[in-house]
Amino acid sequence: LDGLLSPLSLPVSMLLFAWAWHAPHAVLPCRTPSRAAPQPSLPLRPALQPRAATASCSSIAEPPEAELPSAATTEALPPLFAQIEKSLEALTGNPQLLLEAVVGLNLPGGVATYDRDRVVGYFQRRPTLMVSRAYEFLRAFQRVRSAWEATDGSVDRGVVLRSELSALGPVAVKVGQTLSQRPDILPEDVCEALKGLQTSNEPFPNEEAYRVIAEDFGAKGPLAPGLPSPLQRHEGFDPDAPPLFAKLTADCIASASLGQVYRGTMHDGREIAVKVQRPGALRQCLLDGSVIIVALKAIQGRYWNGDLLAIFDLVASGIVQELDFRNEARNAAAFKRSLSFLGYVDVPVTLPELTTRRAMAMEWVHGRHLSDLAPEEAMRMTFMSCEAVTAGLVLTGIVHADPHEGNIMLADDGRLVFLDFGLMSGVEEGIMEAFASGIQCVLSKDYVGLVRAFVDTGFIGTPIEWRAKESDPWQTTHPAGPDLTAIMAEELRERMEACPGGGSRFGALSIVLGDMGFFWQMYTPPYI
């Protein structure tokens, strides 16, 4: 945390730690990079590895909006959208409807999509929101840094970090979920504390969840026997109508970054899980995205050579799509089909008639998470998980981009069940081939082939760049000779053999590359 001292660094570090340092098999929730238009890359900075500071979205009451002169903001908006926004503002005065128009949800059958100019244009006309949100980022960072600097053991830094991320909201919680799996970035005690964010995040009031369920599922009467309906005072409510569900838990049984889950039973006896989106999640995440974009514009080209804005656009696109549960239902079906050849991978079946943007119902899975398994079962689940994720990366190109412990279960019948398909990614065939080749090269200790695989996947640029020490500029020549591929391969071999548990171990490769990144220019491609 000692290097992340400016207010601008907070949202930037949040983005970088959430995805640039994700597990090696995870990929960005975004469209596949085009061959015709190569995507920008972000140089890997090993100096970032031991640091972490994150922030994101919290529920905030919107202060009175201070409108900027229209000439300063509407020029960036497409004329048609500016007209739509003006009409909605005049007719409804409803900020939520305006924001839904920003991401295209006001159109018939509209599905949420991300457009940077529209999002920033919306919030630039509401500067009070952006300034207050940036201040919340800063205050949260200061509290976390204070806990980190305490040396007397009086403060549990993991608990403090988890509390701050939970309070800041959905994006920050998702960052914490990712960091909980990365003991190479954070101390193990902090990682353990953050694992609570996977299924035990701060829930929102049940009454708000009930309202979403009733509105989106078209309940005319009670939700379930014994549960009060939030619509009972509305016109058209029929207290004698059949309940929507035969049973529904009075409290959520799990709460994560973007929603919480209730357990229920249909009238035909099917057990289901009902997932409900956090109220205001769309607005909170897009507001945070606008603050992050402003921060990235301020530092663009000053600290990294990569196009941070382009990388963030890919991340933000995935988050916006995740806020539409209809996307998640489609992703789940595609993922299940793609890995059906393995025979043991499964996903919960969603109920199309009970799937909307803000709520969805799916079959209940009887199973356990990794932390609840005996050692032998945990080893078997880990083996199956690695095989399934690798198959997506090198064979199918359809990849679950958020495979933390809370999103994978071992079913009682032995199936490996993946959950939460909001964040997905596609990988090009050529990159899949390069990854497969790289895996083979690690196992066979072919380090020249491994360097070439790094180039083909975009982790190393062309030409290869090197420097003697951190303060030196990058260069394409080396005192040992003109063939930088062979020179880098030889250094890889020497370091792997010297690394404890080295040779063909992938864990050793991660350590070695972390050290070599100071002297060889490495990148995080946008699809990562």
Side-chain angles (χ1 to χ4, degrees):
L1 293 175
D2 56 320
L4 304 173
L5 300 180
S6 75
L8 295 180
S9 69
L10 187 59
V12 175
S13 61
M14 184 245 332
L15 252 297
L16 297 180
F17 280 129
W19 284 280
W21 290 101
H22 205 285
H25 53 257
V27 292
L28 270 183
C30 64
R31 56 188 179 276
T32 303
S34 168
R35 293 180 186 273
Q39 299 292 319
S41 296
L42 175 68
L44 274 174
R45 288 295 182 118
L48 288 176
Q49 288 180 327
R51 296 165 167 76
T54 54
S56 201
C57 336
S58 67
S59 298
I60 53 177
E62 180 174 328
E65 297 178 353
E67 295 288 340
L68 294 179
S70 59
T73 56
T74 58
E75 290 180 357
L77 297 174
L80 178 60
F81 175 76
Q83 182 179 357
I84 292 175
E85 182 186 44
K86 183 177 180 180
S87 299
L88 280 172
E89 191 164 16
L91 292 173
T92 70
N94 187 326
Q96 179 64 24
L97 292 182
L98 286 174
L99 198 55
E100 289 180 2
V102 170
V103 295
L105 289 173
N106 63 311
L107 304 175
V111 176
T113 57
Y114 167 78
D115 184 293
R116 183 207 303 171
D117 292 336
R118 291 184 176 186
V119 171
V120 174
Y122 176 90
F123 284 108
Q124 278 182 336
R125 298 182 62 180
R126 295 151 179 84
T128 306
L129 285 175
M130 295 187 68
V131 171
S132 62
R133 191 59 180 152
Y135 181 70
E136 289 181 13
F137 285 164
L138 175 60
R139 291 293 297 145
F141 168 69
Q142 290 173 335
R143 288 189 290 268
V144 171
R145 184 180 61 179
S146 177
W148 231 261
E149 293 174 346
T151 58
D152 58 1
S154 60
V155 179
D156 188 327
R157 55 188 179 177
V159 171
V160 171
L161 180 57
R162 182 181 64 194
S163 175
E164 292 295 336
L165 293 177
S166 179
L168 283 167
V171 177
V173 170
K174 191 159 291 294
V175 171
Q177 292 172 346
T178 299
L179 290 175
S180 71
Q181 306 296 117
R182 299 304 306 269
D184 57 323
I185 297 175
L186 293 176
E188 289 191 9
D189 64 304
V190 177
C191 290
E192 283 299 317
L194 293 181
K195 286 183 179 180
L197 295 174
Q198 295 174 359
T199 57
S200 303
N201 189 41
E202 184 68 26
F204 59 90
N206 292 316
E207 291 73 17
E208 296 183 30
Y210 293 158
R211 177 173 294 278
V212 171
I213 293 173
E215 292 177 347
D216 283 28
F217 292 168
K220 301 299 183 182
L223 294 182
L227 287 183
S229 172
L231 304 182
Q232 57 187 3
R233 296 183 180 178
H234 288 213
E235 184 178 354
F237 177 79
D238 182 2
D240 298 323
L244 182 63
F245 302 111
K247 295 180 182 178
L248 189 68
T249 54
D251 294 302
C252 67
I253 51 95
S255 182
S257 55
L258 295 178
Q260 57 196 38
V261 178
Y262 295 80
R263 184 173 181 176
T265 304
M266 300 290 288
H267 290 288
D268 59 9
R270 286 178 295 170
E271 293 184 273
I272 60 170
V274 181
K275 182 177 178 179
V276 186
Q277 188 178 117
R278 288 182 176 273
L282 177 66
R283 185 176 185 81
Q284 292 173 11
C285 291
L286 292 182
L287 170 59
D288 284 357
S290 297
V291 174
I292 292 168
I293 289 170
V294 171
L296 293 181
K297 285 183 176 180
I299 67 172
Q300 183 77 353
R302 295 174 58 188
Y303 301 103
W304 293 278
N305 295 327
D307 189 344
L308 295 173
L309 282 171
I311 293 173
F312 174 74
D313 285 343
L314 299 181
V315 175
S317 176
I319 293 176
V320 169
Q321 291 184 36
E322 187 177 13
L323 289 166
D324 190 332
F325 288 166
R326 295 168 296 183
N327 285 326
E328 179 171 346
R330 285 188 287 268
N331 291 340
F335 183 84
K336 181 176 182 176
R337 288 193 301 269
S338 72
L339 294 180
S340 60
F341 67 93
L342 290 177
Y344 59 78
V345 174
D346 206 354
V347 305
V349 176
T350 58
L351 280 61
E353 69 276 15
L354 295 179
T355 298
T356 69
R357 181 178 70 83
R358 300 184 301 168
M360 66 185 300
M362 67 200 81
E363 68 170 327
W364 182 264
V365 176
H366 292 273
R368 292 164 292 165
H369 293 284
L370 184 64
S371 59
D372 300 321
L373 300 177
E376 298 79 8
E377 293 177 306
M379 182 63 69
R380 180 161 58 91
M381 178 181 176
T382 301
F383 177 83
M384 291 193 297
S385 300
C386 290
E387 186 175 53
V389 172
T390 302
L393 185 61
V394 304
L395 293 176
T396 71
I398 300 177
V399 181
H400 193 301
D402 196 18
H404 60 70
E405 289 181 31
N407 284 342
I408 308 177
M409 296 180 68
L410 184 65
D412 291 346
D413 59 7
R415 293 173 297 146
L416 182 72
V417 181
F418 283 81
L419 310 172
D420 193 350
F421 295 87
L423 291 178
M424 301 291 292
S425 183
V427 184
E428 284 187 343
E429 183 176 346
I431 294 176
M432 287 193 289
E433 289 288 341
F435 270 114
S437 174
I439 292 172
Q440 291 177 331
C441 290
V442 172
L443 296 175
S444 63
K445 303 181 183 180
D446 176 7
Y447 296 110
V448 171
L450 182 58
V451 172
R452 290 172 180 161
F454 287 156
V455 173
D456 291 340
T457 54
F459 285 95
I460 296 177
T462 303
I464 297 175
E465 296 178 282
W466 170 90
R467 63 185 178 188
K469 53 186 179 181
E470 288 187 67
S471 58
D472 290 346
W474 295 106
Q475 51 188 309
T476 57
T477 60
H478 195 285
D483 190 351
L484 267 69
T485 298
I487 295 170
M488 185 178 188
E490 179 60 22
E491 183 174 339
L492 263 174
R493 183 189 65 78
E494 293 175 354
R495 288 178 176 268
M496 286 290 286
E497 291 179 354
C499 184
S504 63
R505 292 192 57 187
F506 290 92
L509 180 63
S510 177
I511 296 173
V512 166
L513 291 178
D515 293 336
M516 290 180 64
F518 288 104
F519 311 108
W520 296 88
Q521 179 75 299
M522 300 180 189
Y523 297 86
T524 299
Y527 64 85
I528 294 294

